[in-house]
């Protein structure tokens, strides 16, 4: 690896992203397409290289982000497929988003009105774009969305008649699809599909892009394959929860994380390691220092609990993780020396550390651990076994 990436780097396997989506596609209906959810910079993996990789795949409908900025960065990178902002979008960005043909999620009347005004003004200036929207329906999250009731129906009718606004899609979101008891998810799905029927019956209009499923639904709720499914965590080869079966869709983790040993020494009985002296040696211990810490997003919750792989063997974390460094016990591993490769996430020999395992050890959550991998970690993108490109926040600015 590049000398300047020896401190730490994340390897992002783009082939694994493609394989994961192909396996998903094989598990859903023929007519259903996949919306790749790449919010929070692709769950920490890097949204632009992943979208560029997926852009030309037939089974990919388009992309979903959480914010306007995340959507615009994709357009700037040349992504042409549909992009949907899943959250509330603030009015300052409506004009840019309409010009860039970015779809917005809408559930408030004031948004409808403002989008209509902005789109109409753009049309008067000779721009033929409409504001494409997906209506959000709240069937159980109580987060955003109109309720699937009479008021919700009135909202949909209003949206359908709003000048300059095109209702391209309608969707809802599961709150509990990742649990083994699927009855709350099925109740949400039933509420949503009934609402869709009612809309069709009362307006004579079928909203073309209807979607409901997230990762857990893609794996385990085939009935929720509508026109599109929204794949987040499974794109990255990570699991929505322990309760979701790992035998239905084979997934490969996309990210691995590496560093190198920068110091090796022996400590003696009674010597403590790191802040607070939470670990004290009860005999001679060989300690290796690793130049990565919670400032990189490596969880402090792994203090005294995590481990890394060196020479394919497990080296447990000693004492607290610092902001920029931590120490591991290499007493049981032969010949560890400065410069040796450290695997923090990924495979080394017969052993593997997953993000799921680290999040469990640290008392955290796999989604959060991936999202929190910080800007100090350069990302190296691998395609067909070769480095395709790198993303290095400190170099790019
Ligand atoms: C984040 C998000 C998803 C993706 O969820 P996963 O569990 O990662 O698949 C899908 N839909 C909405 C509305 C989301 O906010």
């Amino acid at each position: 690896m590049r000398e300047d990436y020896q401190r730490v780097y994340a390897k992002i396997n783009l082939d694994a992203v493609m394989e994961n989506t192909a396996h998903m596609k094989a598990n859903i209906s023929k007519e259903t397409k996949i919306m790749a959810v790449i919010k929070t910079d692709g769950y920490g993996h890097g949204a632009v290289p992943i979208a560029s990789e997926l852009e030309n795949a037939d089974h990919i409908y388009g992309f979903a982000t959480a914010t306007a900025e995340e959507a615009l960065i994709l357009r700037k990178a040349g992504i042409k497929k549909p992009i949907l902002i899943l959250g509330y979008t603030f009015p300052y960005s409506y004009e840019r988003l309409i010009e860039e043909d970015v779809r917005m999620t809408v559930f408030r009347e004031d948004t409808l009105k403002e989008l209509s005004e902005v789109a109409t003004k753009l049309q008067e200036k000779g721009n033929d774009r409409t504001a494409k929207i997906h209506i959000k329906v709240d069937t159980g999250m109580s987060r955003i969305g109109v309720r699937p009731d009479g008021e919700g129906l009135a909202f949909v009718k209003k949206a359908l008649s709003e000048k300059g606004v095109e209702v391209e899609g309608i969707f809802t979101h599961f709150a509990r699809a990742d649990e083994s008891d699927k009855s709350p998810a099925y109740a949400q799905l039933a509420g949503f599909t009934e609402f869709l029927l009612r809309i069709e019956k009362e307006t004579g209009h079928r909203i073309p892009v209807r979607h409901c499923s997230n990762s857990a639904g893609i794996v385990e709720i085939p009935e929720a394959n509508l026109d599109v499914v929204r794949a987040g965590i499974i794109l990255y080869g990570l699991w929505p929860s322990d309760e979701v079966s790992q035998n239905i869709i084979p997934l490969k983790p996309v990210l691995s994380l590496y560093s190198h040993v920068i110091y090796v020494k022996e400590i003696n009985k009674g010597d403590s390691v790191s802040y607070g002296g939470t670990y004290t040696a009860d005999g001679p211990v060989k300690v290796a220092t690793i130049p990565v810490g919670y400032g990189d997003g490596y969880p402090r919750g792994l203090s005294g609990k995590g481990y890394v792989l060196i020479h394919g063997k497990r080296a447990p974390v000693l004492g607290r993780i610092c902001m920029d460094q931590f120490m591991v016990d290499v007493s049981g591993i032969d010949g560890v020396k400065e410069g040796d490769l450290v695997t923090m996430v990924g495979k080394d020999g017969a052993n593997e550390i997953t993000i799921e395992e680290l999040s469990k050890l640290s008392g955290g959550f796999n989604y959060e651990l991936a999202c929190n991998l910080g800007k100090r970690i350069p990302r190296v993108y691998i395609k067909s076994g070769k480095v395709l490109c790198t993303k290095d926040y400190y170099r790019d600015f």
Side-chain angles (χ1 to χ4, degrees):
M1 189 36 59
R2 290 167 51 156
E3 264 176 32
D4 51 346
Y5 288 176
Q6 283 188 353
R7 184 184 77 82
V8 63
Y9 70 96
K11 208 194 254 182
I12 311 294
N13 180 354
L14 293 173
D15 302 315
V17 176
M18 287 306 277
E19 282 171 42
N20 291 339
T21 63
H23 288 305
M24 275 179 233
K25 180 58 207 162
N27 192 57
I28 57 178
S29 328
K30 242 199 179 131
E31 310 74 42
T32 306
K33 292 206 170 193
I34 299 167
M35 187 186 293
V37 180
I38 50 177
K39 58 197 185 189
T40 314
D41 202 17
Y43 292 42
H45 293 62
V48 167
I50 288 176
S52 307
E53 187 60 25
L54 293 175
E55 169 87 340
N56 296 318
D58 277 346
H59 54 281
I60 298 295
Y61 162 82
F63 303 96
T65 69
T67 69
E69 288 70 22
E70 287 179 332
L72 290 169
I73 226 170
L74 294 175
R75 283 283 184 255
K76 207 170 162 196
I79 299 298
K80 300 277 187 303
K81 279 196 168 166
I83 300 172
L84 171 65
I85 300 171
L86 296 170
Y88 172 73
T89 304
F90 289 82
Y92 70 89
S93 54
Y94 291 169
E95 191 171 327
R96 272 291 298 288
L97 292 170
I98 294 169
E99 281 174 344
E100 297 286 354
D101 201 25
V102 171
R103 284 74 171 155
M104 282 171 260
T105 292
V106 177
F107 47 91
R108 275 171 43 174
E109 296 214 359
D110 58 343
T111 314
L112 278 182
K113 197 163 149 270
E114 282 175 72
L115 281 175
S116 170
E117 278 167 15
V118 176
T120 311
K121 248 185 232 146
L122 283 171
Q123 286 171 355
E124 279 161 8
K125 281 198 259 168
N127 185 327
D128 65 356
R129 293 239 189 260
T130 52
K132 291 190 184 135
I133 65 164
H134 288 217
I135 295 173
K136 182 69 180 279
V137 183
D138 175 15
T139 57
M141 278 287 282
S142 303
R143 186 168 67 177
I144 53 173
V146 299
R147 295 282 176 150
D149 56 13
E151 233 174 84
L153 184 66
F155 182 88
V156 173
K157 286 182 178 162
K158 185 142 200 302
L160 286 169
S161 67
E162 201 72 73
K163 227 178 122 227
V165 172
E166 178 188 337
V167 184
E168 179 188 70
I170 184 163
F171 70 111
T172 193
H173 187 49
F174 286 136
R176 306 177 60 178
D178 60 343
E179 298 175 20
S180 39
D181 176 6
K182 297 286 186 243
S183 51
Y186 278 107
Q188 282 191 265
L189 179 60
F192 185 55
T193 48
E194 272 162 36
F195 189 53
L196 295 177
L197 281 176
R198 191 168 166 200
I199 293 168
E200 267 190 70
K201 216 168 103 206
E202 295 210 17
T203 67
H205 183 79
R206 182 195 184 279
I207 299 174
V209 186
R210 310 179 305 175
H211 45 114
C212 174
S213 231
N214 55 1
S215 291
I218 292 168
V219 181
E220 293 190 327
I221 311 180
E223 295 85 348
N225 296 324
L226 306 178
D227 300 300
V228 162
V229 289
R230 301 185 305 273
I233 198 86
I234 56 175
L235 265 185
Y236 312 99
L238 303 175
W239 295 97
S241 81
D242 302 341
E243 292 181 35
V244 170
S245 167
Q246 302 197 0
N247 304 318
I248 300 170
I249 300 182
L251 295 179
K252 215 185 241 179
V254 167
L255 179 144
S256 45
L257 185 65
Y258 303 98
S259 179
H260 292 87
V261 171
I262 53 123
Y263 198 46
V264 181
K265 71 183 160 303
E266 205 146 295
I267 61 170
N268 300 307
K269 186 176 157 88
D271 289 340
S272 294
V273 176
S274 194
Y275 293 117
T278 56
Y279 169 83
T280 302
D282 52 14
V285 175
K286 200 172 169 193
V287 177
T289 302
I290 295 159
V292 177
Y294 63 78
D296 298 291
Y298 193 70
R300 188 170 178 271
L302 292 172
S303 298
K305 292 183 177 153
Y307 70 96
V308 301
L309 299 175
I310 300 175
H311 300 181
K313 297 211 170 95
R314 297 166 66 125
V317 173
L318 296 175
R320 289 200 183 136
I321 307 273
C322 311
M323 191 185 293
D324 318 299
Q325 312 183 62
F326 66 98
M327 279 62 79
V328 295
D329 181 351
V330 292
S331 308
I333 308 174
D334 278 345
V336 175
K337 57 189 188 310
E338 285 139 21
D340 283 354
L341 180 71
V342 176
T343 302
M344 291 180 285
V345 174
K347 278 188 190 153
D348 183 6
N351 276 316
E352 179 174 15
I353 303 178
T354 62
I355 288 187
E356 277 80 10
E357 188 179 2
L358 287 189
S359 56
K360 223 164 282 160
L361 286 171
S362 66
F365 181 46
N366 59 342
Y367 287 66
E368 189 179 6
L369 204 161
C371 287
N372 284 350
L373 291 174
K375 294 191 186 85
R376 286 203 317 206
I377 303 177
R379 271 64 164 180
V380 178
Y381 294 89
I382 308 291
K383 188 177 171 176
S384 313
K386 291 205 184 80
V387 175
L388 177 73
C389 59
T390 58
K391 169 74 188 166
D392 183 346
Y393 186 85
Y394 280 89
R395 207 159 282 268
D396 295 344
F397 287 91

